[in-house]
Amino acid sequence: MSDETRTGACLCGAVRLRTRGPLRGVVYCHCGQCRRQSGHYVAATCVGDDRIDVEGGEAIIWYAASEEAKRGFCGRCGSLLFWKHRDLDTVSVMAGAFDKPTGLDAECHIFVADKGDYYTIDDGLPQHARSTGSIVVAGD
């Protein structure tokens, strides 16, 4: 998929995005911040800052969730769109924001030690109590 372009948007369409090239597999994050912001857990991929174009950026509100990272959402419809670590030249993009077909594959679950107590993870993907060495997160 290295030559593929993917498109996506928030719920109301005020923010549109286009990525170019390969994306990381989808990581499911069960940390307390993701659970509170999304109402469950998030599913996100990752792309280099130089391989994403965003239209409607003026509608994005960035929330400083920690000293290390911020979360971007549409200020009009509230759609969670991005997670950005201050020291990285990549941005996590919520997998649900992409138009179908996404061509994305699930990779793993992180922060399963913090997951909600009302569901079970039984999809056979690797599970990590916190994060992994290849996935940089805030406070890890």
Side-chain angles (χ1 to χ4, degrees):
M1 284 206 123
S2 62
D3 293 334
E4 286 208 23
T5 298
R6 293 175 183 84
T7 59
C10 65
L11 181 62
C12 71
V15 179
R16 297 222 35 96
L17 60 101
R18 177 181 304 271
T19 63
R20 298 172 306 283
L23 301 178
R24 182 195 67 206
V26 174
V27 172
Y28 302 104
C29 184
H30 302 265
C31 78
Q33 283 190 6
C34 285
R35 285 189 299 107
R36 284 181 177 83
Q37 187 171 35
S38 71
H40 194 38
Y41 57 87
V42 302
T45 185
C46 191
V47 64
D49 291 340
D50 61 341
R51 293 188 295 112
I52 184 169
D53 298 312
V54 177
E55 295 177 23
E58 65 279 358
I60 300 172
I61 295 176
W62 289 96
Y63 171 69
S66 70
E67 290 183 18
E68 294 132 339
K70 59 187 179 178
R71 295 166 178 272
F73 61 95
C74 176
R76 294 184 186 159
C77 67
S79 294
L80 174 59
L81 298 167
F82 306 109
W83 183 90
K84 177 75 175 145
H85 194 285
R86 70 168 186 219
D87 296 332
L88 300 179
D89 59 356
T90 59
V91 62
S92 291
V93 181
M94 300 305 118
F98 287 99
D99 300 323
K100 291 183 189 178
T102 66
L104 298 172
D105 292 314
E107 185 172 310
C108 68
H109 295 267
I110 60 174
F111 288 93
V112 297
D114 297 340
K115 79 171 201 58
D117 60 359
Y118 55 89
Y119 63 94
T120 304
I121 303 170
D122 58 4
D123 57 15
L125 292 172
Q127 298 182 28
H128 305 279
R130 292 192 47 79
S131 188
T132 72
S134 65
I135 301 170
V136 178
V137 295
D140 198 35

